[in-house]
Amino acid sequence: MITIVSDLFLTDSFLIKGEVERKYARLSTLLDEHRRYFIKIRNATLVDLNTCDRIQTPLLHVNMDEILLAHEFLDQASDLQQQQLFKDQKTVKVRVFFTGHLNVEVGGECRPGAYEVDDRMTRRFFVLKNPTLRGFNAKEDSDLKLLTKMPYVIVNKTRLSYIYDFNEG
């Protein structure tokens, strides 16, 4: 049986692949507007970050506070709305570091101040373009290697412990 995966999540312990239940908008918007403690993932595959063991389940509830990064697999070239949003948008280079057991840092580009609580375009999550992950071992696992090949990631700003903004100071 072939399972189509449209969404990917990284937590301290697992890489989670599956489909967000009742997705009504782009994943970045859905995560930012989600007001429940848990998000439901259908046809989920969990990949243990330490052992690469896999767990498959038809339905998984993921605590929103556990999500470090997310990504939505889709054809970005055909997404005219997204192209217009990022067409002439100014970006700054940042490197972000997460709290928790997984010692990961991600460098990339985002809107100035997108990581701040007073950012008016986002609440809890923001998009980081052209991400580069450090401190993460993909262990020759094809699923874990997906994390190193994404054109953008959706970052949970409540899980960040340090931010280095290359354009300040």
Side-chain angles (χ1 to χ4, degrees):
M1 180 173 84
I2 296 175
T3 302
I4 296 175
V5 173
S6 61
D7 304 305
L8 181 136
F9 302 90
L10 180 67
T11 69
D12 283 331
S13 302
F14 294 100
L15 172 70
I16 302 167
K17 302 183 319 175
E19 305 155 10
V20 172
E21 186 176 78
R22 297 187 188 119
K23 191 187 319 183
Y24 57 86
R26 294 286 305 265
L27 184 60
S28 57
T29 302
L30 183 133
L31 290 172
D32 212 34
E33 294 175 351
H34 198 73
R35 295 295 165 242
R36 295 182 174 219
Y37 289 123
F38 292 89
I39 190 165
K40 294 179 183 179
I41 312 294
R42 287 265 174 217
N43 302 317
T45 300
L46 292 85
V47 181
D48 187 292
L49 298 178
N50 293 320
T51 65
C52 296
D53 289 340
R54 283 164 170 67
I55 302 167
Q56 291 186 318
T57 181
L59 180 63
L60 178 70
H61 294 71
V62 178
N63 187 313
M64 293 290 290
D65 291 337
E66 293 297 314
I67 298 171
L68 301 176
L69 301 174
H71 179 76
E72 179 177 30
F73 294 104
L74 53 85
D75 180 13
Q76 293 176 321
S78 66
D79 191 345
L80 298 177
Q81 179 184 13
Q82 197 69 6
Q83 287 177 4
Q84 285 299 325
L85 283 174
F86 291 115
K87 184 178 176 186
D88 295 319
Q89 190 173 63
K90 179 184 175 191
T91 60
V92 295
K93 290 187 178 195
V94 297
R95 186 172 297 146
V96 298
F97 302 81
F98 291 95
T99 59
H101 303 294
L102 191 60
N103 189 20
V104 170
E105 66 179 82
V106 184
E109 302 167 27
C110 68
R111 286 180 304 94
Y115 47 79
E116 292 289 357
V117 72
D118 63 354
D119 178 50
R120 293 180 184 206
M121 292 187 71
T122 61
R123 293 179 187 103
R124 188 173 178 177
F125 289 83
F126 70 97
V127 175
L128 193 62
K129 297 190 304 184
N130 305 316
T132 304
L133 274 75
R134 293 185 185 173
F136 177 79
N137 184 0
K139 301 178 184 172
E140 301 303 317
D141 184 278
S142 61
D143 287 328
L144 295 180
K145 282 185 179 179
L146 290 172
L147 292 170
T148 63
K149 300 176 183 175
M150 297 181 289
Y152 73 92
V153 291
I154 305 163
V155 178
N156 185 346
K157 56 175 97 173
T158 64
R159 290 297 307 269
L160 297 177
S161 56
Y162 307 102
I163 300 165
Y164 180 68
D165 188 328
F166 290 89
N167 299 286
E168 290 185 1

